[in-house]
């Protein structure tokens, strides 16, 4: 649900007033960013409810600690790269 909300918000910001490519990239960035963040959270030891409020089931793959600096820096670099690419491809 949050991914859809963020997707619409980013789409509105990037597509204002009437740019279809901006709307599309914004929607994908907002939704994709939220989804990838939840996926990253799933690999930690901390349980969370990824489908709340629709389901109270908790998830955790327990692959690394959330305070792991190497993993956090790697994820930051990947996220930054993924964020910058659309601006380089579609100036």
């Amino acid at each position: 649900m949050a991914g859809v909300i963020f997707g619409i918000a980013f789409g509105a910001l990037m597509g204002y007033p009437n740019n279809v490519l901006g709307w599309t990239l914004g929607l994908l960035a907002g939704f994709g960013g939220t989804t990838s963040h939840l996926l990253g959270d799933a690999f930690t030891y901390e349980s969370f409810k990824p489908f709340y409020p629709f389901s109270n089931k908790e998830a955790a793959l327990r692959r690394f600690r959330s305070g792991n600096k190497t993993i956090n820096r790697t994820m930051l670099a990947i996220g930054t790269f993924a964020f910058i690419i659309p601006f380089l491809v579609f100036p």
Side-chain angles (χ1 to χ4, degrees), residues 3 11 18 29-30 35 37 51 53 56-57 61 65 73-74 79 86 89 91:
N18 201 9
T35 304
H37 184 93
F51 300 111
N56 283 326
K57 187 174 181 179
L61 296 174
R65 300 210 179 275
R73 287 184 183 135
T74 302
V89 175

Side-chain angles (χ1 to χ4, degrees), residues 44-65:
T44 66
Y45 283 95
E46 294 293 323
S47 296
F48 72 106
K49 299 174 185 176
F51 300 111
Y52 183 83
F54 304 108
S55 171
N56 283 326
K57 187 174 181 179
E58 293 187 348
L61 296 174
R62 303 181 190 286
R63 298 290 183 238
F64 54 83
R65 300 210 179 275

